[in-house]
Amino acid sequence: DAMVIQNPRYQVTQFGKPVTLSCSQTLNHNVMYWYQQKSSQAPKLLFHYYDKDFNNEADTPDNFQSRRPNTSFCFLDIRSPGLGDAAMYLCATSRGVAHSYNEQFFGPGTRLTVL
Amino acid sequence: AQKVTQAQTEISVVEKEDVTLDCVYETRDTTYYLFWYKQPPSGELVFLIRRNSFDEQNEISGRYSWNFQKSTSSFNFTITASQVVDSAVYFCALRLGGSEKLVFGKGTKLTVNP
């Protein structure tokens, strides 16, 4: 089945220690997104890639970076995690706004704990 | 600016009851898309439905139905004969035409008790 895969599902890191979260897709979608979702809140978009074009949200802290080396993979790097960065991180993909079927499909998420 | 309001924070029903989740949106754009997602306790957001602003036709899919009314800027979701497996947080979301960004409501936590 075509899908969005996130690894690891659970990640524990120490305060200030860089961490990388991974997302891959078999849907061959043009757009990949990273969302942050804190407990009992709605997902918040951090940034997205349309193909190789990176689009950052204005309020995303510089501490969060992303890489998309190819169509299938996208990474979220947190350079110096703080306690406030503990959250579920959701990766999503879509065909893009120009397509009629433009819904976003989400992966299972990575739950990040910062000690 | 666009906004999605889900006024019901939590709803609790008994199995087999019908339940309606409300969603009200705000936008000045004429082209936009509305979505419903389900987030079970496992955490994955599951896509349920997409509606574009030019299609006010209501939709039924099994026990699920959606009522889109532009006149009241609402896109409500009804579950008929609810089941325990329907227990989840449900998010309504809005995306403007030409934008990749999904704006989510705060979600409604539905608990279906046996």
Side-chain angles (χ1 to χ4, degrees):
Chain A
D1 286 342
M3 57 175 58
V4 182
I5 302 161
Q6 289 189 246
N7 287 305
R9 294 293 309 276
Y10 300 90
Q11 176 74 56
V12 180
T13 190
Q14 292 181 336
F15 183 94
K17 185 176 180 181
V19 65
T20 294
L21 310 182
S22 169
C23 177
S24 64
Q25 56 137 339
T26 61
L27 297 161
N28 203 32
H29 283 170
N30 297 101
V31 192
M32 295 187 76
Y33 313 77
W34 279 103
Y35 288 85
Q36 179 192 63
Q37 186 179 24
K38 295 188 176 180
S39 183
S40 301
Q41 295 184 19
K44 178 177 177 292
L45 182 64
L46 295 173
F47 27 59
H48 73 272
Y49 272 96
Y50 197 116
D51 293 327
K52 292 187 176 182
D53 293 332
F54 178 69
N55 297 269
N56 199 27
E57 291 299 302
D59 57 355
T60 298
D62 292 339
N63 198 26
F64 292 88
Q65 305 285 319
S66 187
R67 296 169 283 134
R68 188 179 185 186
N70 54 52
T71 300
S72 301
F73 285 88
C74 194
F75 300 98
L76 169 63
D77 301 308
I78 308 177
R79 295 192 296 187
S80 182
L83 298 178
D85 296 328
M88 174 77 90
Y89 290 88
L90 296 163
C91 175
T93 74
S94 82
R95 293 177 177 90
V97 295
H99 200 284
S100 299
Y101 300 97
N102 51 49
E103 54 271 20
Q104 294 182 20
F105 294 94
F106 286 79
T110 295
R111 187 167 296 281
L112 177 68
T113 300
V114 181
L115 300 177
Chain B
Q2 59 272 23
K3 183 180 177 183
V4 176
T5 301
Q6 294 180 255
Q8 304 149 308
T9 305
E10 292 194 39
I11 300 175
S12 182
V13 299
V14 177
E15 210 170 13
K16 298 185 183 178
E17 283 187 37
D18 298 348
V19 58
T20 295
L21 309 182
D22 297 332
C23 173
V24 174
Y25 62 93
E26 296 176 30
T27 180
R28 293 182 180 178
D29 282 35
T30 55
T31 302
Y32 53 88
Y33 298 84
L34 294 164
F35 305 84
W36 275 97
Y37 284 86
K38 173 182 180 181
Q39 188 172 42
S42 61
E44 181 172 352
L45 276 162
V46 178
F47 166 72
L48 296 177
I49 190 170
R50 167 189 26 86
R51 262 290 173 264
N52 72 50
S53 52
F54 301 108
D55 181 6
E56 276 193 85
Q57 194 171 26
N58 293 328
E59 182 156 337
I60 298 174
S61 176
R63 296 184 297 106
Y64 294 173
S65 63
W66 291 269
N67 180 252
F68 177 25
Q69 290 196 336
K70 290 177 73 172
S71 60
T72 56
S73 296
S74 64
F75 186 42
N76 296 337
F77 173 29
T78 297
I79 301 174
T80 303
S82 59
Q83 299 177 1
V84 173
V85 294
D86 296 326
S87 297
V89 179
Y90 290 85
F91 289 98
C92 181
L94 166 71
R95 185 174 65 71
L96 302 184
S99 170
E100 293 291 351
K101 183 175 181 176
L102 268 181
V103 175
F104 285 90
K106 293 186 175 182
T108 297
K109 182 178 181 180
L110 173 65
T111 301
V112 182
N113 298 297

